[in-house]
Structure formats: C-alpha cells, structure tokens
C-alpha cells in the first residue's frame, strides 16, 4: 500500500539508480504515515553519523532525521555516489511491504530547464495520442 509519494521527483531529476530501504521510525511517525499526513516532496538523504538519513522527515509538528536500514554494501555504494558532483539522493515513495514500512530511494541528477520542457512536450504528445485513440 502506498503511504506517500514524491510526484515531482521524476519531473525534477534524472533517476540513475533506485534502492529499497527500511525506515527506523517511532510509533508516532508510523501513525502519521498510515494516516497519510506526511509530505516527502523535497526530502533528501545525506550520509551522516556513519549512516544514511532522511533529513527533516515528518509533518510540521514532528520533524526528525530518520535513519535508513540498508546493508553495508548498498550503504557504501550510495555514500560514495553522493560525493560526486551533481549527484543527490531523494525519496521517491514510501509504502508498506507486509507489516514493514519501506522507502524507495534513488540516486538522481538534477534536470536543467530545457530537459523539463522536453518532459512537458513528451507528456503532452502522449496525452494527445491517447485522446486520438479514443
């Protein structure tokens, strides 16, 4: 079940690689996620205190840094990629997998304005083609 989604991520970034990570969150945060009161648009991930963390995760009242649960190999790979120029890591999606709450994270590179215009043109063309088929 989808709990939160970053709708702007595919528009603002080129997605290079994506990973599935567990979240280490408190009971209050789980409750907010299940009630869908958390916005993940604009949330990014940094390597801090020997672990990857989502910065300022939660709503306005309860904001905290949330550690991600990954194996050492994935964590080392992501942290080394974060040191490259122009590379970031963002949260794409938060969902449940059984009783676990998981996050889909991605290593991304920001799009330029002309790339965004191309995305808009492509989306409009696809929409027109779909209308013509009906």
């Amino acid at each position: 079940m989808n709990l939160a989604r970053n709708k702007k991520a595919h528009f603002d970034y080129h997605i290079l690689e994506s990973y599935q990570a567990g979240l280490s969150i408190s009971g209050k945060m789980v409750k907010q996620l299940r009630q869908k009161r958390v916005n993940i648009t604009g949330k990014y991930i940094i390597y801090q205190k020997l672990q990857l963390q989502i910065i300022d995760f939660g709503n306005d009242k309860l904001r905290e840094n949330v550690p991600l649960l990954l194996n050492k190999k994935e964590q080392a790979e992501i942290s080394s990629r974060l040191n490259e120029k122009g590379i970031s890591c963002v949260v794409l999606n938060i969902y449940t997998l059984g009783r676990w709450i998981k996050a889909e994270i991605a290593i991304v590179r920001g799009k330029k304005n002309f790339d965004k215009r191309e995305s808009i043109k492509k989306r409009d063309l696809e929409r027109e083609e779909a209308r013509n088929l009906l």
Side-chain angles (χ1 to χ4, degrees), residues 14 29 43 51 58 65 71 80 93 127 131:
H14 291 288
M29 189 64 70
K43 302 298 180 204
Q51 62 186 357
N65 293 351
N71 62 37
S80 68
N93 196 1
R127 200 175 292 151
R131 283 186 194 146

Side-chain angles (χ1 to χ4, degrees), residues 5 14 57-58 63 70 72 78 109 123 126 128 133:
R5 189 167 164 236
H14 291 288
F57 185 72
R63 288 186 180 258
L70 293 159
K72 287 183 181 181
I78 293 170
R109 174 173 278 127
R123 185 177 60 213
E126 289 173 358
E128 284 294 324
L133 291 177

Side-chain angles (χ1 to χ4, degrees), residues 9-10 12-18 44 81-82 84-92 105-111:
H10 290 283
D12 289 337
Y13 304 106
H14 291 288
I15 306 222
L16 305 176
E17 291 181 59
S18 64
Y44 61 96
R81 291 290 302 267
L82 286 176
E84 295 177 23
K85 185 177 179 184
I87 300 292
S88 300
C89 191
V90 296
V91 181
L92 297 178
I105 63 173
I107 296 174
V108 297
R109 174 173 278 127
K111 284 185 180 180

Side-chain angles (χ1 to χ4, degrees), residues 45-97:
I45 297 166
I46 62 167
Y47 187 71
Q48 184 180 29
K49 297 180 184 175
L50 301 176
Q51 62 186 357
L52 292 167
Q53 295 182 355
I54 302 174
I55 300 301
D56 289 337
F57 185 72
N59 66 5
D60 294 334
K61 297 175 186 172
L62 180 67
R63 288 186 180 258
E64 57 187 43
N65 293 351
V66 174
L68 295 174
L69 305 173
L70 293 159
N71 62 37
K72 287 183 181 181
K73 182 181 176 185
E74 289 175 335
Q75 194 165 341
E77 186 178 319
I78 293 170
S79 64
S80 68
R81 291 290 302 267
L82 286 176
N83 292 333
E84 295 177 23
K85 185 177 179 184
I87 300 292
S88 300
C89 191
V90 296
V91 181
L92 297 178
N93 196 1
I94 296 179
Y95 56 94
T96 58
L97 187 66

Side-chain angles (χ1 to χ4, degrees), residues 21-32:
L23 295 175
S24 177
I25 54 178
S26 65
K28 289 181 181 181
M29 189 64 70
V30 171
K31 189 173 181 179
Q32 286 181 359

